[in-house]
Amino acid sequence: MSLPDELDLLIVEHDPLEAELLLKPMGELTNADRIGVARDGEEALDWLLGRGRYRHRLGAALPRLVLLELKLPRLDAVEILRTLRANPRTATVPVVVLTSAAEPREVAQCYQAGANSCIRKPVDFREFAEAVRTTGDYWLRLNRTVQGAVPVG
Amino acid sequence: MVPTLPDYLRQIPPTTLAFAGAVLALVLLLAWILEWRRRRRAQRAEAAALGQLRTITATMREGVIAYDMDLRLTLVNPAFERLTGHPEEDLRDQEFLQYVHPDDRPALVAEWERLAQGESLRDQEYRVVTRGGQIRWCASTWSPVRDETGRQVGYLGAEFDITERKLAEDEMRQDTELFQAVIEVQQAVASAGLDSGTVMRVIAERSRGLTGATGVVIETLEGDELVPVLRLGVESPPLKLNESLSGAAARTGELQRADDIEGDPRIGHRAYHDQGIRAILAVPLRHDQQVLGVLKVLSPTAGGFTDRHAKALRLLGGLVGASLEHAASFEARQARLERRTEALQESEQRFKHLVDAAQEGIWVSDERGVITYVNPRMSELLGYQNGSLVGRPIADFLDATARAGAQRALARPGNGAEALDLRFRRQDGAELWGLVSASPIPGRDGGMVGTVGMVTDITERKRTEERLRRSADRLTVLHDMDQAILGARSPAEVGRATLGRMRRMVPCHRCSVLLFDFARSQAQLIAGYSAGTTLPAGPIPIERLSPGDVLRRTSIRVIDDLAAVESPAPLLKELRDEGVRSVLSVPLLVDGEAIGEINLASTTPRGFTAEHRDIAMEIAAPLAIAVQQARLREELTRQTGELERRLAERGATLRALTAELETMVYAVSHDLREPLRHICGFTQLLLDDGGPALDPAVQHYAGRIRDGANRMSGLVDDLVSLARVARQDVLRRPVDLTSLAEDVVSRLEPQAEGRAVEWRVQPLGAVECDRELVGLALQSLLSNALKFTRPRDRTVITIRPVQHEGQAGIAVQDNGIGFKMAYAGKLFGVFQRLHRPDEFEGNGVGLALVQRVAQKHGGRVWAESNGDTGATFYLTLGAPPS
């Protein structure tokens, strides 16, 4: 199963249960087919950077938001962030890191690697759903993004 | 020392030199005159020449004369007139020799003849008889006077008055003679011996010879009288001090001289007048400033004694006084000695009886300490035949150990020396203890000619003393060993201390303490001495000692003579080669078993007495106990050490495990959290999405699932926090506690919604601590306070500063339900709860976390409550307020 070429929201989450819980509130904000879930860091980077099986996407539009789970197999969030920020094309794409147990050290590392925000997932689902809705509302509706590298000045 | 005449003459030179100088000057002058005359030979007559000479010589201090070949004076100068006392007109043309003392004329004539034969010039001394008949001495130098043809016409002479010098020389010569005479007297006195009669006779005769006296008297001073002890050529009665010349001499201590006794106020008697005596010299005889008597010489001629006589007598008096005194005191001593000798001879017999019968041994030795006499008791005490001691040094009979110290004391005892306890060795080898007092026998010269000594047999007393001392020693040893046992010393220390004591009580060549280890077939030497040196501690194979069954015996073993033992054990063989003859082995018994032994070795056969055995056994018993105690103690120490080591190991393991566990708790908690969230999430979705369609019972169960998962999730969150606190290092920074507390309060306010809660945050000051950890702790404390005040209508939570043991901290006081102080100890344990879940929610992690924070900071947490009126929690942070 491969991701569609254009997306408003890319969720990077290896756990399908977690992904499903995320999709529930997010689905209220945009079309379900505008939301994609990458199952690991490799797939997310291939899709975002237009390489590997997503080579055809090279130069294609970037999503309005990437929701990145902190703990991922193989490539973790910090490594993904560093690769994205090192590439001029993806340097400014909004990335929000989701964590379940916020270690201050890990949170700090995420910000240093270029995360736009870090959110701790509350246990209570209603609180969690509210937090996700607020986040999506902000990044998908209010936030203005720049596609690709735009020369400034 | 009396100077000789030539010595005196040598003291004259200044005058002689002056004279020689004058002569030289004159000769030069004459040479000049002759030269002068030769130049004017033709013009001047000889008379004119002499006239000129007169003028020149008039001012000279030396007499200048000229005379012709007939020895008639042709010229005299004023100095020569003064010398002879004759005016020039008396002298001129007079024969020169008539002014010369007749005794000196031949010598002068002989000199002129010598000069006439062309001999060289020589100085002359001669006497001039002056006009007044006095004699004056002249030193003269002549030279021949020749006319222009070279024929001698006369002599020119320079005459120098040396009368004063001659008189002084004369005086000195006489003095010298006098001294020599006095010295002779003294020598005569000395050779006269010590008999005072002879001495006085010599003095008297010599005095008479020296003074030309007719009578001599020597008187001694007795009370206020001078009693004649020797008279020579004169009769003399005893004379009163205050009416005789002798008395005056004795009183004043000065020589008295009477040139004519007739009418002399010092003489109040007439004893000498009738004998025709006119002159007397009396000189005091003194010794050590004390007048002993008077030496007196008498003459029938008034003025018969000259100054010289007086001088001679004065010298004699001084010299003779001492001789007389010596002679007198010697006589007195002699007399005393004679009396004593008689008394001695008389008492000698009595003394001999006494000495023979005495209970004390008495000996007399000469100055070298060789015995010259012993009484029978002395022989008996030393076990020798009477008389066989004589001729041997007293020191021979002393025990070898006593000899060195006593020898000197006996050979040269001091006066009043203290009595000595000395050990003698009897002929049969037995010892004799004697109380010895020795005194020197003084010789006549004050030196020591020998020693007399007395010995009292104190052997019995000594033996008793020795026994007492030894039992005191034994008690001391036992006491020491008790001390050693109490003092927890090592077996080696106890062993050394014991042997040290034992060696003093039991004389031995070698001693050692061995401990057996039969299991390893070896013995351990823990202490030992051999010939005064320490034996090295260490193991010895048992088979070298004796067969094991012998060593295991519980009885004392004695080898009386090692030389008689057939095939001894290797160690014994070595000892035998070392010279050991007898051995005493005493087992160290613990619970009836030999754990070791004390070994004593002596170089003499049967070197150990019954008493020695007793002592060794006495010592062995407590030594065994001490050694056993020490061994047990060592074992205990070893085990304790082992235990501590294991404990330390376990502690380290435990700490490692704890750290691992905490890491695991963190990881597990984190991983648990995800599925819990999923359970919560999907249950909620079930309730939300399927809500109305669901059976009420299904709704109920779904709610229960969600609540349970939520609670478990909270627990996991708390455990994660706790684990993090445990893992995290404390990062101390100055923290404003007031603002921290206010932050925490504001975070908690949502939980207090709908309740009347009053937060009273007092100024808490600042302290160095980890802001995050302290924040967690404070949150836990405040949420606790909030929780347990829920039943109250009005909640008051006070946060105030606190100080405890110098540390700053925070106190959180609430008006909640409080707790029983009996449970105070359970408050801070993990999962410890004081309430049921249906009373107050919670998982028992919060206060455990507070405690971790306190511990991490080196502080403390504790709580107080007086029942249901609320509780106060205290947290200190290991640092003073900053």
Side-chain angles (χ1 to χ4, degrees), chain A residues 15-18 20-21 24 69-71 99-104 106 120-126 128, chain B residues 666 670-671 673-674 676-678 680-682 684-685 688-689 706 709-710 713-714 717 720 724 727 772:
Chain A
D15 186 343
L17 292 181
E18 188 68 34
E20 192 183 339
L21 286 177
K24 182 73 183 167
E69 168 60 37
L70 183 74
K71 296 222 178 285
T99 82
S100 54
E103 272 291 279
E106 289 168 344
R120 186 171 189 256
K121 295 178 276 188
V123 173
D124 185 273
F125 182 72
R126 276 179 290 200
F128 171 73
Chain B
Y666 175 73
H670 187 273
D671 290 350
R673 205 169 176 272
E674 290 298 306
L676 276 172
R677 278 184 54 251
H678 299 159
C680 284
F682 287 105
Q684 191 61 46
L685 284 175
D688 288 353
D689 293 359
R706 184 198 59 200
N710 268 338
S713 172
D717 277 356
V720 168
R724 205 172 71 212
R727 292 192 323 155
E772 192 196 340

Side-chain angles (χ1 to χ4, degrees), chain B residues 210-428:
Chain B
L210 277 174
T211 58
T214 55
V216 181
V217 179
I218 296 176
E219 296 161 323
T220 58
L221 183 60
E222 285 174 26
D224 63 345
E225 276 195 337
L226 284 159
V227 179
V229 290
L230 183 129
R231 291 178 295 260
L232 205 66
V234 69
E235 287 301 311
S236 184
L239 297 170
K240 295 284 180 199
L241 265 182
N242 55 5
E243 55 175 35
S244 62
L245 200 65
S246 311
R251 284 200 317 272
T252 60
E254 299 291 338
L255 176 134
Q256 301 292 322
R257 175 171 170 179
D259 285 333
D260 191 345
I261 62 173
E262 203 66 60
D264 194 307
R266 293 170 290 183
I267 301 165
H269 63 92
R270 298 198 58 84
Y272 298 135
H273 298 74
D274 304 338
Q275 298 180 57
I277 301 297
R278 294 293 298 277
I280 301 178
L281 285 177
V283 66
L285 300 178
R286 275 185 300 196
H287 180 63
D288 282 350
Q289 308 299 321
Q290 201 185 346
V291 174
L292 307 168
V294 175
L295 168 65
K296 195 155 61 178
V297 291
L298 308 98
S299 167
T301 316
F305 297 119
T306 63
D307 287 348
R308 184 152 311 280
H309 297 143
K311 202 170 184 177
L313 205 65
R314 198 179 278 126
L315 285 169
L316 270 182
L319 288 172
V320 165
S323 309
L324 260 185
E325 163 64 12
H326 286 150
S329 60
F330 173 74
E331 268 170 21
R333 278 208 306 274
Q334 196 71 24
R336 278 204 300 278
L337 205 60
E338 275 163 20
R339 282 198 298 281
R340 261 206 333 228
T341 312
E342 281 167 31
L344 264 174
Q345 280 165 354
E346 207 174 296
S347 66
E348 199 163 69
Q349 274 307 313
R350 279 183 290 176
F351 174 72
K352 191 163 160 34
H353 287 306
L354 208 64
V355 166
D356 286 352
Q359 276 308 298
E360 289 80 23
I362 294 171
W363 87 87
V364 179
S365 60
D366 65 15
E367 73 278 7
R368 291 165 300 143
V370 173
I371 296 172
T372 55
Y373 168 82
V374 289
N375 70 346
R377 174 64 176 156
M378 185 77 185
S379 304
E380 187 192 323
L381 282 175
L382 291 175
Y384 287 85
Q385 285 275 309
N386 205 355
S388 62
L389 294 168
V390 172
R392 295 178 58 183
I394 182 73
D396 276 8
F397 305 98
L398 286 169
D399 185 75
T401 56
R403 208 168 285 157
Q407 203 156 11
R408 195 179 155 74
L410 292 185
R412 300 219 151 257
N415 281 314
E418 279 184 24
L420 301 167
D421 285 6
L422 291 178
R423 182 148 50 174
F424 291 88
R425 193 53 68 179
R426 285 168 55 88
Q427 189 175 30
D428 58 13

Side-chain angles (χ1 to χ4, degrees), chain B residues 82 171 202 227 270 352 399 521 650 788:
Chain B
R82 285 195 294 279
E171 178 87 358
V202 168
V227 179
R270 298 198 58 84
K352 191 163 160 34
D399 185 75
S521 279
R650 280 192 199 167
F788 294 106

Side-chain angles (χ1 to χ4, degrees), chain B residues 857-879:
Chain B
H857 279 83
R860 262 188 72 197
V861 62
W862 71 100
E864 286 170 0
S865 175
N866 42 10
D868 54 5
T869 59
T872 306
F873 283 78
Y874 301 88
L875 167 68
T876 58
L877 297 168

